[in-house]
Each structure stands twice: as structure tokens, then as C-alpha cells.
């Protein structure tokens, strides 16, 4: 006989009590599965930045520099009206790719959330993006590491990109 009990959002103490009820029963094997590690650390954030295209790096740098807020209208004004077509989807793909590579849990959350559209500025355009406050320190540390790494002459820094959106390349 195989019995599976799934208790969602239980405290660790409660889960141990449930397992203790079955301890010692002949033919019953009890196991407790640890919750997946879904925390964005500075190392994970760095790896995400390192393995993302330029558009995602620009997007994330602006979120970090804005203390977790990216004003979509100001971003579009500087980088072009189509500049936000792609970065959030590419970010999601990079997160899924990292989970597939085993760099983090498939359950790790996307650290970025869009706002709802502003009806006065265009019904279908997102007003902005938030980098969740709990993830901001990890991404700030990762971005600082990325900047230090590039000051040694590696790939161009986001700050070195001209105001021309074509500088972002065709990757989305």
C-alpha cells in the first residue's frame, strides 16, 4: 500500500507531528520532503544576469538603479516605444533555463512584477515594473559584481550603451 499525504503551507512542527503519527506502524515508511529553496541569493541573481541577453541586463539594471521600480514610460521614452517588448519574456525564459540547468529550483519566483496598464497612457501598455523588495538586495549585489567584473575590460556595461535603442541588439 502506498499512502501520500500532501499538506500545503504547513508549519514544520505540524508536518513532523503528522509523520510521528505513522512512525512505528508496520509496513509504513514516512518521509518528509523539504520545501524547495526559492530564495534569490546574490550568486543566483548574478548567474541570471550573466546568462541573460543585453535587453534583460538593461531592464534589470534599471530596476536596481530605481530601487526596485522601473517607470515604463520613462524607459520607453529613452530606449524606444518597443524597448519593453521582450525583456520580461526573456527574463522568464532565463529563469526557466536556470531551473533546467539546476542552478535554482523550478519553483523560484520571478523577481519582477508588472503593474497594471495606465488607461490614460495607453490601455495595453504596462505603467511600470517592480523588483520585489525582498529580492532587491540580491540583485543589487549581483549588479555591483557584474559592474566590477566589466570594469576590467570585459563586455560593455549597460551605462556604456548609447541612447540608440539599436545598441540593444536584436535579442529579445
Amino acid at each position: 500500500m502506498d499512502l501520500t499525504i500532501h499538506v500545503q503551507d504547513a508549519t514544520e512542527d505540524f508536518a513532523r507531528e503528522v509523520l510521528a503519527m505513522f512512525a512505528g506502524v508496520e509496513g509504513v515508511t514516512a518521509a518528509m520532503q523539504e520545501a524547495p529553496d526559492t530564495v534569490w541569493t546574490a550568486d543566483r541573481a548574478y548567474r541570471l544576469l550573466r546568462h541573460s541577453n543585453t535587453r534583460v541586463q538593461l531592464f534589470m539594471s534599471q530596476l536596481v538603479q530605481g530601487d526596485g521600480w522601473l517607470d515604463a514610460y520613462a524607459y520607453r521614452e529613452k530606449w524606444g516605444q518597443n524597448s519593453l517588448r521582450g525583456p520580461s519574456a526573456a527574463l522568464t525564459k532565463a529563469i526557466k533555463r536556470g531551473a533546467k540547468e539546476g542552478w535554482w529550483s523550478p519553483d523560484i519566483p520571478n523577481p519582477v512584477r508588472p503593474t497594471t496598464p495606465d488607461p490614460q497612457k495607453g490601455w495595453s501598455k504596462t505603467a511600470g515594473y517592480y523588483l520585489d523588495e525582498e529580492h532587491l538586495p540580491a540583485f543589487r549585489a549581483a549588479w555591483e559584481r557584474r559592474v566590477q567584473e566589466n570594469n576590467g575590460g570585459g563586455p560593455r556595461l549597460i551605462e556604456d550603451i548609447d541612447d540608440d535603442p539599436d545598441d540593444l541588439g536584436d535579442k529579445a
Side-chain angles (χ1 to χ4, degrees):
M1 175 171 84
D2 186 19
L3 173 66
T4 302
I5 300 173
H6 176 83
V7 182
Q8 189 171 338
D9 298 327
T11 65
E12 193 171 323
D13 290 339
F14 178 78
R16 291 189 196 288
E17 286 180 33
V18 170
L19 288 174
M21 290 189 317
F22 295 100
V25 175
E26 189 175 332
V28 174
T29 303
M32 185 171 166
Q33 183 176 356
E34 295 292 322
D37 181 5
T38 58
V39 175
W40 279 105
T41 63
D43 286 338
R44 287 176 179 167
Y46 171 79
R47 186 172 275 198
L48 178 68
L49 291 174
R50 183 108 168 95
H51 294 277
S52 295
N53 66 37
T54 306
R55 285 183 183 262
V56 171
Q57 290 188 41
L58 175 63
F59 181 71
M60 295 304 292
S61 77
Q62 298 303 295
L63 280 160
V64 168
Q65 291 173 25
D67 292 324
W69 169 248
L70 182 147
D71 182 316
Y73 302 113
Y75 191 90
R76 285 186 195 100
E77 191 171 303
K78 180 171 183 174
W79 299 103
Q81 288 301 307
N82 294 329
S83 60
L84 286 174
R85 290 189 182 159
S88 59
L91 175 64
T92 300
K93 286 179 185 177
I95 292 168
K96 288 180 181 179
R97 186 173 54 249
K100 187 176 179 180
E101 292 290 332
W103 298 339
W104 43 74
S105 166
D107 297 324
I108 201 161
N110 188 323
V112 178
R113 293 178 294 116
T115 62
T116 58
D118 181 348
Q120 294 179 344
K121 300 280 185 170
W123 67 271
S124 66
K125 292 189 176 183
T126 302
Y129 291 86
Y130 288 101
L131 174 59
D132 287 334
E133 191 173 300
E134 68 185 277
H135 307 306
L136 183 57
F139 281 89
R140 186 179 310 283
W143 189 253
E144 288 171 6
R145 180 176 168 194
R146 192 85 175 105
V147 168
Q148 287 176 346
E149 171 185 273
N150 286 324
N151 282 339
R156 290 186 309 165
L157 292 176
I158 297 304
E159 291 82 6
D160 293 335
I161 295 175
D162 295 331
D163 289 340
D164 181 358
D166 290 336
D167 250 357
L168 297 176
D170 294 328
K171 295 181 183 178

